[in-house]
Amino acid sequence: MLGWIHILWDPKQHHTAPLFLLCMVPLLCATKETTSVTKQPEQYLNNQDYVALENLPKTVANSNITVKYLCTRPCTVHMDVIASSEFRTGISVIKKRWKIKKPLHQLWTCSVKLMFPSSMVYRDDYIFKHSIDMYYAAVRAWVVHNDQVDTESRHNETMFYAVAKTFAVLDTIPPHQRPYKDHRICTTWLFKYMWMQREKEHSVCRFETDVDTLLSSPLASNKEHSGLIKTFQPFKNRELEIRRQQSVKYYPRFTLSIWMYLLDYCRAKECGIFHHIDTNNMYTTPLLFLTSEGKIHVQLQLADGSVSAILSTFYLPLYQWFRLDVTVYRKMIILKTLLGQELKSHEDQTYSLDEDIYFDDTVGYMALGGSKYVVGIDGFFGPVKYYRLRALQMDELSNLLPEHEIYHQIGDYYSRCMNVKDIVRLHSVMRLENRNMETKCAARNYYKDLYLKYGNRPTSNMDPWTKEDHNKYSNLFRLLSSSEWISWDFANDPVVQFGKNIFEVAMKNLSSSFHHLSAVVPTLLDASCSGYHKASYMLAIMYEIGLGVPTDPAQHRLAQMLFWGQQGVTKNTRAAIEWYERGALENQEPVLMYDYAVLLFKGDGVTRNMKLALELMKKSAAKGQVEALNGLGWYYQHFRKDYVRAVKYWTEAYDKGNTDAAFNLGVMCLHGTYPGEPGANETRAFEFMSRASEGGHIEASINVAQYFITGNLESVPKNPETAVLLAKAVAEQNGNIGLVIRKAVNAYLDGSINEAYLNFILTAEAGVEMSQTNAAYLCEEYSDLDTVLLSDICVWRYYNFSVHQHDPSTYALLKMGDMYYYGAKDQHRELDLAMKMYTRAALQGDSQGFFNLAQLVQEGFAIPQYFLQHLKIETSGISDNRSLLIELYERCQNHSNEEAVSPCTLVLLYLQLTDAWHSVLHSPMIYFLVLLTLAVFIVQSIYAVHDRAVQIRRNENVNSSPPQDDTSNVPAPRSDQREPSVTADFAPQRLETRNTDLHR
């Protein structure tokens, strides 16, 4: 009877016995629906060896079962329970055995208690964690005669010698349907309540997959030591991490799917497609390089530590999109290429190795394209997907080429450019032949010179291009026929020279006027196709910002690839050497002595003279030239191989702040040549290079950025932001950028605003903050540019670019803050962002930032707490908005120009005067004086009323006195009646007047 197959897997031990054990059911093929098989007792009835299982539980649960058995000879009864989950298969969780000697030929019964691990029986609770989801569990029993089995045989190996056997499959229960375990412990009421609350919650695992999209949009690779760096961390999902660890340990498997568009095969020895660098800076699995013949060089690290290299038998296609699929499974690797969006099968190849492949993606980092160790390919990368735990076939992969316009444009652009180059190259050959015909006669003929200068030039009678070609490339043929302004340089590449010529003419036309921008686009496109990449970059800018053409980000990404190349400046070496020699030998200038010594060491333009060079270098160092100390160290390291003396001079220069010496010391630590160090010391090398990078050393900054990008050094954590800032600082030291900015500044000073604007946007789109601010300023101040680009869009774009730089100008911050405060076209008013811009300007010491914040406070807007914390304004000491106002205006005054009276000073003076006036008005003395004055006024009023009342009473008393006879009222005549006295006449008159008033 065919039994089940149980696979033993123990990589640490190698057994000579077969590992496929004959059991009673094909357990690896069993499912959860497998049912128990009831054994018939024919063997028992025939008095043969027999074993049976009874009282089995239906599901996986702790229980007591019965084993019935019969032995015809001394035997051993074996019983176990094996189980399998997603991560492990055929694990024995319970093992039992007992021996029988006497009596024989008799049926025996044994009770066995099954005690499963808690992770198989119970669900998670407040104490028990990590229950396992089981696929199946089976109980097995078998009888083995003792004289047929070696006493040292393993438990599973005895299955080979079984004379009777049986099994039963138990149903498994999902973890969330299992009961809780009784831990037989006392818990507090609060603990039980909290657990009951948690029991009702449904925990949702964080979504995590083994599929990693390394790239989702096109990436240009330009044959440089640059590429996409990616590090992988262990999975947070416990089950996925267990699978990954098992994959690393036992059966490595992964799939890599890369879309590529190749422009050329590798011009170097090898070009990087995808490679893996471990923590020891060594190549490991996988490594995919492109060779100069167009084949794929694959390198893999095996489990035994050796390295295996493979070279594909097929070639990768050029000028078309194709997908390269790499599948690795244990000892096998499969390479397959598919063409286009239709995924037409191109080539495939399978390799089998002698040893298992070793692969752990959490070690080190992976690079798509180039890195510090290898250059990248010449072409483009498309979508890249990496399946960390699966070895997939082509129909199982979900990595299609997107239906995006950029992918079609890349193909159309380079297809057109191939034709353009062929036309220009053939045209240049024809012109060269014509020139040879013109100069074939050695004798000087003045008539012929005049004829060639002013007459019709000889042309070829045969036109190799069709009418369709002339119609399709009409602008190109027009440019080629305009030979009066095209200067052909047949010594260099005529195609690139042609592109340069037509680009310079197009830029000259643009510098004078922007009214015909769209007319120069075909010319720039032909110059770009001719290989002049400045034209490509100019087209990229025009499509990005809509400069005379509709905005098209796809065209921008396509063209913005290879603008910032090398562009040398004409130099006069002979005059420089004479200057160095005169200053070093005659004037004994330390700087010139150092420079001339370097020329003598290298033999650059002069005859090498080591003795004189060393003498001058020492004299320069003795006069305090720190660079000369670094030069002496370089001399002893490069020519004498005396690392001790080299380190001595470099250390002396390093202590004096020389960045080159710091970098050289770091290189020695990195290469393991530092005296006294047993080997390479990357940690110390990083310290030296960091000091050199802080001083602006370019190579040191690149190395430090590499450490921050990869995080491959234990003492240096991964820090991509710092790496980007370092790389940006290095890129901005490109001489071409400085040359373009100088052209822009000179054009602005000369009044050529269009030319200045063009040059500023070239560097602004490259990320130069100064150019971004200047471009926005030109758009804001000069209305002539509005006909080409809306000023609101231009101003907003470049000021916004500027403020997102690491160290933006305060002018851009204030301008952007004003745009947020007032609101721009199609932009709402955002006071929070305005406050943020003003705060950033204030943090850089700009008084206007403090002034604008104070104005917002005066208008009644509250400044958020975190802005005040950045400004280091203690809110505990600020009682009200007026105190905050005074604090802001005082800081504004402190940061203002001391030579002029700033608005902050005037506002602060006004606030101080108003505060003084309010303090005077609210002082206790003022209240006392007011009360005193009021009291005096009240008293005086009372006295006045009292006097009037008394007077009224007196008058009333006079009127109420007894009347006299008439004669008494008539005054006696006197002799002086015509001249009465003043007193006699005035008193009665006043009395009469008062009586009249009282009656009224």
Side-chain angles (χ1 to χ4, degrees), residues 118-355:
S118 298
S119 58
M120 296 175 60
V121 180
Y122 302 106
R123 65 184 299 180
D124 293 351
D125 59 14
Y126 52 88
I127 294 179
F128 171 70
K129 305 291 184 182
H130 309 309
S131 59
I132 299 175
D133 187 9
M134 306 303 301
Y135 281 173
Y136 71 85
V139 183
R140 305 183 301 180
W142 64 95
V143 176
V144 179
H145 292 163
N146 296 336
D147 55 357
Q148 295 181 356
V149 180
D150 188 0
T151 56
E152 297 182 357
S153 297
R154 284 174 162 266
H155 173 79
N156 286 336
E157 293 175 357
T158 61
M159 186 87 55
F160 289 113
Y161 310 100
V163 293
K165 49 193 172 182
T166 186
F167 79 97
V169 177
L170 306 179
D171 293 338
T172 59
I173 303 176
H176 65 279
Q177 296 181 2
R178 298 173 188 169
Y180 288 110
K181 183 178 181 180
D182 183 8
H183 296 285
R184 300 183 183 275
I185 59 175
C186 296
T187 57
T188 62
W189 176 87
L190 179 61
F191 188 83
K192 283 186 177 180
Y193 175 77
M194 294 177 63
W195 171 248
M196 291 172 63
Q197 294 296 114
R198 287 187 56 190
E199 183 182 6
K200 298 177 182 179
E201 297 177 356
H202 296 281
S203 59
V204 179
C205 297
R206 176 183 176 185
F207 177 76
E208 192 173 13
T209 177
D210 71 322
V211 183
D212 198 311
T213 302
L214 302 182
L215 190 65
S216 58
S217 58
L219 174 67
S221 178
N222 54 1
K223 301 178 292 184
E224 299 291 340
H225 288 273
S226 60
L228 182 65
I229 303 297
K230 178 70 174 180
T231 58
F232 295 93
Q233 304 298 327
F235 288 105
K236 295 182 179 179
N237 185 288
R238 184 174 62 90
E239 296 181 354
L240 288 178
E241 179 57 20
I242 292 176
R243 287 179 56 187
R244 189 195 68 81
Q245 293 177 4
Q246 293 289 336
S247 175
V248 172
K249 191 174 182 180
Y250 299 123
Y251 39 88
R253 61 179 76 181
F254 68 88
T255 303
L256 189 63
S257 180
I258 307 174
W259 279 99
M260 299 171 62
Y261 188 96
L262 289 178
L263 301 177
D264 196 1
Y265 294 138
C266 187
R267 297 294 181 90
K269 183 179 179 181
E270 288 174 330
C271 296
I273 299 176
F274 191 87
H275 55 284
H276 185 187
I277 308 294
D278 63 12
T279 53
N280 297 321
N281 294 326
M282 301 294 292
Y283 290 126
T284 184
T285 307
L287 182 143
L288 303 173
F289 283 167
L290 177 66
T291 65
S292 57
E293 295 84 12
K295 296 183 178 181
I296 304 175
H297 172 209
V298 183
Q299 185 170 306
L300 303 166
Q301 183 180 356
L302 305 182
D304 60 359
S306 61
V307 176
S308 179
I310 300 169
L311 186 65
S312 67
T313 58
F314 60 86
Y315 302 89
L316 296 181
L318 294 175
Y319 293 103
Q320 59 179 321
W321 284 104
F322 67 91
R323 194 178 81 184
L324 173 63
D325 295 337
V326 182
T327 302
V328 171
Y329 178 67
R330 298 191 64 175
K331 301 180 181 180
M332 183 175 61
I333 178 171
I334 303 173
L335 301 177
K336 189 177 183 65
T337 54
L338 305 167
L339 301 180
Q341 290 184 330
E342 299 81 9
L343 297 179
K344 297 180 181 179
S345 180
H346 178 243
E347 296 286 350
D348 64 277
Q349 199 168 350
T350 304
Y351 304 91
S352 296
L353 306 176
D354 297 333
E355 293 287 338

Side-chain angles (χ1 to χ4, degrees), residues 346-415:
H346 178 243
E347 296 286 350
D348 64 277
Q349 199 168 350
T350 304
Y351 304 91
S352 296
L353 306 176
D354 297 333
E355 293 287 338
D356 284 343
I357 298 171
Y358 175 78
F359 174 68
D360 186 356
D361 58 3
T362 61
V363 176
Y365 63 91
M366 297 187 184
L368 178 67
S371 67
K372 63 184 296 186
Y373 303 105
V374 65
V375 299
I377 62 170
D378 184 10
F380 295 85
F381 288 104
V384 179
K385 283 192 175 182
Y386 167 46
Y387 299 81
R388 301 179 65 181
L389 301 177
R390 287 178 284 174
L392 304 178
Q393 299 296 328
M394 187 272 292
D395 54 348
E396 298 175 312
L397 291 172
S398 60
N399 186 24
L400 302 177
L401 189 66
E403 290 286 347
H404 197 279
E405 189 178 3
I406 181 63
Y407 297 97
H408 301 286
Q409 288 177 346
I410 289 176
D412 296 342
Y413 172 81
Y414 284 102
S415 176

Side-chain angles (χ1 to χ4, degrees), residues 255 358 373 399 444 506 529 559 629 659 684 919:
T255 303
Y358 175 78
Y373 303 105
N399 186 24
R444 185 69 179 270
C529 283
L629 294 172
T659 58
R684 194 172 182 189
S919 63

Side-chain angles (χ1 to χ4, degrees), residues 73-101:
R73 287 189 293 177
C75 64
T76 301
V77 181
H78 295 265
M79 193 279 297
D80 67 1
V81 178
I82 60 172
S84 293
S85 67
E86 181 183 2
F87 308 108
R88 302 188 69 181
T89 302
I91 304 301
S92 296
V93 294
I94 299 176
K95 294 180 182 179
K96 300 285 185 180
R97 71 174 180 177
W98 57 93
K99 293 184 178 181
I100 302 299
K101 295 184 178 180

Side-chain angles (χ1 to χ4, degrees), residues 397-534:
L397 291 172
S398 60
N399 186 24
L400 302 177
L401 189 66
E403 290 286 347
H404 197 279
E405 189 178 3
I406 181 63
Y407 297 97
H408 301 286
Q409 288 177 346
I410 289 176
D412 296 342
Y413 172 81
Y414 284 102
S415 176
R416 182 184 186 279
C417 288
M418 288 178 60
N419 296 332
V420 169
K421 289 181 179 180
D422 292 339
I423 293 174
V424 175
R425 189 173 288 108
L426 181 57
H427 190 274
S428 65
V429 172
M430 295 170 59
R431 291 190 64 89
L432 180 60
E433 292 177 354
N434 293 337
R435 191 187 70 165
N436 294 335
M437 291 173 57
E438 296 171 2
T439 58
K440 188 174 181 179
C441 182
R444 185 69 179 270
N445 190 328
Y446 293 99
Y447 173 78
K448 185 176 181 181
D449 292 342
L450 293 174
Y451 174 77
L452 293 176
K453 183 175 182 180
Y454 299 105
N456 295 326
R457 289 188 173 277
T459 58
S460 174
N461 295 325
M462 181 182 65
D463 190 350
W465 298 288
T466 64
K467 183 178 180 180
E468 182 181 357
D469 293 334
H470 280 276
N471 293 333
K472 187 175 181 180
Y473 304 100
S474 58
N475 183 72
L476 177 63
F477 284 107
R478 180 184 63 82
L479 294 172
L480 289 171
S481 62
S482 303
S483 58
E484 63 273 6
W485 52 269
I486 296 179
S487 176
W488 290 92
D489 185 4
F490 296 99
N492 298 319
D493 187 357
V495 180
V496 179
Q497 185 67 29
F498 170 75
K500 179 182 178 182
N501 291 336
I502 62 177
F503 171 77
E504 291 177 349
V505 173
M507 291 298 294
K508 184 177 180 181
N509 295 333
L510 284 180
S511 300
S512 59
S513 175
F514 280 167
H515 294 288
H516 304 287
L517 274 170
S518 57
V520 302
V521 172
T523 301
L524 293 176
L525 185 59
D526 290 333
S528 173
C529 283
S530 300
Y532 196 66
H533 297 299
K534 288 187 177 182

